[in-house]
PDB file of all heavy atoms in Angstrom:
ATOM      1  N   ALA A 310     -17.847  -4.668 -18.628  1.00 98.00           N
ATOM      2  CA  ALA A 310     -17.015  -3.450 -18.471  1.00 98.00           C
ATOM      3  C   ALA A 310     -17.186  -2.575 -19.716  1.00 98.00           C
ATOM      4  O   ALA A 310     -17.335  -1.348 -19.674  1.00 98.00           O
ATOM      5  CB  ALA A 310     -15.564  -3.775 -18.235  1.00 98.00           C
ATOM      6  N   GLN A 311     -17.155  -3.221 -20.889  1.00 98.00           N
ATOM      7  CA  GLN A 311     -17.081  -2.469 -22.159  1.00 98.00           C
ATOM      8  C   GLN A 311     -18.454  -2.095 -22.738  1.00 98.00           C
ATOM      9  O   GLN A 311     -18.502  -1.284 -23.670  1.00 98.00           O
ATOM     10  CB  GLN A 311     -16.241  -3.237 -23.166  1.00 98.00           C
ATOM     11  CG  GLN A 311     -14.767  -3.298 -22.686  1.00 98.00           C
ATOM     12  CD  GLN A 311     -13.835  -4.189 -23.532  1.00 98.00           C
ATOM     13  OE1 GLN A 311     -14.175  -4.492 -24.620  1.00 98.00           O
ATOM     14  NE2 GLN A 311     -12.717  -4.540 -22.895  1.00 98.00           N
ATOM     15  N   THR A 312     -19.498  -2.687 -22.235  1.00 98.00           N
ATOM     16  CA  THR A 312     -20.850  -2.221 -22.666  1.00 98.00           C
ATOM     17  C   THR A 312     -21.482  -1.331 -21.648  1.00 98.00           C
ATOM     18  O   THR A 312     -22.274  -0.454 -22.025  1.00 98.00           O
ATOM     19  CB  THR A 312     -21.793  -3.432 -22.920  1.00 98.00           C
ATOM     20  OG1 THR A 312     -21.859  -4.253 -21.783  1.00 98.00           O
ATOM     21  CG2 THR A 312     -21.385  -4.242 -24.137  1.00 98.00           C
ATOM     22  N   GLU A 313     -21.158  -1.525 -20.366  1.00 99.00           N
ATOM     23  CA  GLU A 313     -21.906  -0.760 -19.333  1.00 99.00           C
ATOM     24  C   GLU A 313     -21.029   0.060 -18.404  1.00 99.00           C
ATOM     25  O   GLU A 313     -21.510   0.791 -17.578  1.00 99.00           O
ATOM     26  CB  GLU A 313     -22.769  -1.679 -18.485  1.00 99.00           C
ATOM     27  CG  GLU A 313     -23.873  -2.415 -19.291  1.00 99.00           C
ATOM     28  CD  GLU A 313     -24.996  -1.497 -19.777  1.00 99.00           C
ATOM     29  OE1 GLU A 313     -25.122  -0.369 -19.231  1.00 99.00           O
ATOM     30  OE2 GLU A 313     -25.737  -1.875 -20.675  1.00 99.00           O
ATOM     31  N   GLY A 314     -19.674  -0.109 -18.520  1.00 98.00           N
ATOM     32  CA  GLY A 314     -18.785   0.561 -17.639  1.00 98.00           C
ATOM     33  C   GLY A 314     -18.903   0.092 -16.210  1.00 98.00           C
ATOM     34  O   GLY A 314     -18.649   0.843 -15.227  1.00 98.00           O
ATOM     35  N   ILE A 315     -19.291  -1.143 -16.022  1.00 99.00           N
ATOM     36  CA  ILE A 315     -19.451  -1.757 -14.684  1.00 99.00           C
ATOM     37  C   ILE A 315     -18.423  -2.855 -14.493  1.00 99.00           C
ATOM     38  O   ILE A 315     -18.252  -3.705 -15.399  1.00 99.00           O
ATOM     39  CB  ILE A 315     -20.876  -2.295 -14.510  1.00 99.00           C
ATOM     40  CG1 ILE A 315     -21.927  -1.154 -14.535  1.00 99.00           C
ATOM     41  CG2 ILE A 315     -20.984  -3.118 -13.223  1.00 99.00           C
ATOM     42  CD1 ILE A 315     -23.349  -1.625 -14.551  1.00 99.00           C
ATOM     43  N   LEU A 316     -17.748  -2.833 -13.315  1.00 98.00           N
ATOM     44  CA  LEU A 316     -16.742  -3.854 -13.054  1.00 98.00           C
ATOM     45  C   LEU A 316     -17.335  -4.983 -12.262  1.00 98.00           C
ATOM     46  O   LEU A 316     -18.037  -4.834 -11.281  1.00 98.00           O
ATOM     47  CB  LEU A 316     -15.564  -3.233 -12.271  1.00 98.00           C
ATOM     48  CG  LEU A 316     -14.822  -2.091 -13.008  1.00 98.00           C
ATOM     49  CD1 LEU A 316     -13.888  -1.396 -12.097  1.00 98.00           C
ATOM     50  CD2 LEU A 316     -14.125  -2.631 -14.268  1.00 98.00           C
ATOM     51  N   LEU A 317     -16.995  -6.223 -12.711  1.00 98.00           N
ATOM     52  CA  LEU A 317     -17.336  -7.457 -11.987  1.00 98.00           C
ATOM     53  C   LEU A 317     -16.043  -7.969 -11.340  1.00 98.00           C
ATOM     54  O   LEU A 317     -15.021  -7.368 -11.470  1.00 98.00           O
ATOM     55  CB  LEU A 317     -17.939  -8.476 -12.900  1.00 98.00           C
ATOM     56  CG  LEU A 317     -19.152  -8.036 -13.710  1.00 98.00           C
ATOM     57  CD1 LEU A 317     -19.558  -9.135 -14.719  1.00 98.00           C
ATOM     58  CD2 LEU A 317     -20.313  -7.717 -12.773  1.00 98.00           C
ATOM     59  N   ASP A 318     -16.132  -9.067 -10.647  1.00 98.00           N
ATOM     60  CA  ASP A 318     -14.959  -9.618 -10.018  1.00 98.00           C
ATOM     61  C   ASP A 318     -14.604 -11.038 -10.597  1.00 98.00           C
ATOM     62  O   ASP A 318     -15.522 -11.660 -11.199  1.00 98.00           O
ATOM     63  CB  ASP A 318     -15.093  -9.711  -8.500  1.00 98.00           C
ATOM     64  CG  ASP A 318     -15.835 -10.971  -8.076  1.00 98.00           C
ATOM     65  OD1 ASP A 318     -17.065 -11.032  -8.290  1.00 98.00           O
ATOM     66  OD2 ASP A 318     -15.200 -11.894  -7.580  1.00 98.00           O
ATOM     67  N   PRO A 319     -13.386 -11.497 -10.452  1.00 98.00           N
ATOM     68  CA  PRO A 319     -13.010 -12.727 -11.129  1.00 98.00           C
ATOM     69  C   PRO A 319     -13.562 -14.011 -10.478  1.00 98.00           C
ATOM     70  O   PRO A 319     -13.630 -15.041 -11.135  1.00 98.00           O
ATOM     71  CB  PRO A 319     -11.467 -12.761 -10.964  1.00 98.00           C
ATOM     72  CG  PRO A 319     -11.078 -11.483 -10.358  1.00 98.00           C
ATOM     73  CD  PRO A 319     -12.304 -10.840  -9.766  1.00 98.00           C
ATOM     74  N   VAL A 320     -13.961 -13.942  -9.196  1.00 98.00           N
ATOM     75  CA  VAL A 320     -14.316 -15.177  -8.449  1.00 98.00           C
ATOM     76  C   VAL A 320     -15.809 -15.413  -8.442  1.00 98.00           C
ATOM     77  O   VAL A 320     -16.261 -16.503  -8.638  1.00 98.00           O
ATOM     78  CB  VAL A 320     -13.736 -15.131  -7.004  1.00 98.00           C
ATOM     79  CG1 VAL A 320     -14.130 -16.395  -6.248  1.00 98.00           C
ATOM     80  CG2 VAL A 320     -12.201 -14.924  -7.054  1.00 98.00           C
ATOM     81  N   TYR A 321     -16.582 -14.358  -8.175  1.00 98.00           N
ATOM     82  CA  TYR A 321     -18.022 -14.511  -7.895  1.00 98.00           C
ATOM     83  C   TYR A 321     -18.859 -13.950  -9.054  1.00 98.00           C
ATOM     84  O   TYR A 321     -19.531 -14.691  -9.769  1.00 98.00           O
ATOM     85  CB  TYR A 321     -18.401 -13.834  -6.583  1.00 98.00           C
ATOM     86  CG  TYR A 321     -17.725 -14.432  -5.370  1.00 98.00           C
ATOM     87  CD1 TYR A 321     -16.563 -13.885  -4.885  1.00 98.00           C
ATOM     88  CD2 TYR A 321     -18.221 -15.556  -4.742  1.00 98.00           C
ATOM     89  CE1 TYR A 321     -15.894 -14.416  -3.771  1.00 98.00           C
ATOM     90  CE2 TYR A 321     -17.611 -16.131  -3.634  1.00 98.00           C
ATOM     91  CZ  TYR A 321     -16.461 -15.527  -3.158  1.00 98.00           C
ATOM     92  OH  TYR A 321     -15.825 -16.097  -2.075  1.00 98.00           O
ATOM     93  N   THR A 322     -18.834 -12.632  -9.189  1.00 98.00           N
ATOM     94  CA  THR A 322     -19.779 -12.021 -10.139  1.00 98.00           C
ATOM     95  C   THR A 322     -19.410 -12.251 -11.581  1.00 98.00           C
ATOM     96  O   THR A 322     -20.258 -12.316 -12.445  1.00 98.00           O
ATOM     97  CB  THR A 322     -19.927 -10.487  -9.845  1.00 98.00           C
ATOM     98  OG1 THR A 322     -18.593  -9.896  -9.862  1.00 98.00           O
ATOM     99  CG2 THR A 322     -20.557 -10.241  -8.487  1.00 98.00           C
ATOM    100  N   GLY A 323     -18.076 -12.402 -11.833  1.00 98.00           N
ATOM    101  CA  GLY A 323     -17.647 -12.764 -13.185  1.00 98.00           C
ATOM    102  C   GLY A 323     -18.189 -14.100 -13.606  1.00 98.00           C
ATOM    103  O   GLY A 323     -18.713 -14.326 -14.688  1.00 98.00           O
TER     104      GLY A 323
END
Side-chain angles (χ1 to χ4, degrees):
Q311 293 173 19
T312 53
E313 297 291 343
I315 293 172
L316 298 172
L317 304 176
D318 83 286
V320 179
Y321 298 94
T322 54

